[in-house]
Amino acid sequence: MEKGLKEGLKKGAEDKAIEIALKMLENGSDVNFIADVTGLSVEKINEIKK
């Protein structure tokens, strides 16, 4: 059960980071800046950008 909770929290944090990244992209922020702020990889940001 503890493992499931940790995985759920990790997934929730990633979902929130993606949501923030999308808003930052909409506002014209640089991909490298978004990666630094959210902790997402540049590749992941470019993937969600499409």
Side-chain angles (χ1 to χ4, degrees):
M1 184 167 170
E2 186 176 322
K3 181 180 177 186
L5 178 61
K6 285 182 182 179
E7 287 179 19
L9 290 173
K10 183 178 176 183
K11 174 74 171 126
E14 183 179 5
D15 288 349
K16 188 62 177 178
I18 290 171
E19 181 182 329
I20 292 167
L22 286 169
K23 286 190 180 277
M24 293 177 78
L25 285 166
E26 288 174 5
N27 288 311
S29 295
D30 177 67
V31 172
N32 292 316
F33 177 69
I34 297 170
D36 187 45
V37 170
T38 63
L40 296 171
S41 69
V42 171
E43 293 81 19
K44 181 70 173 179
I45 294 166
N46 284 325
E47 182 183 309
I48 64 173
K49 191 168 139 176
K50 295 178 182 177

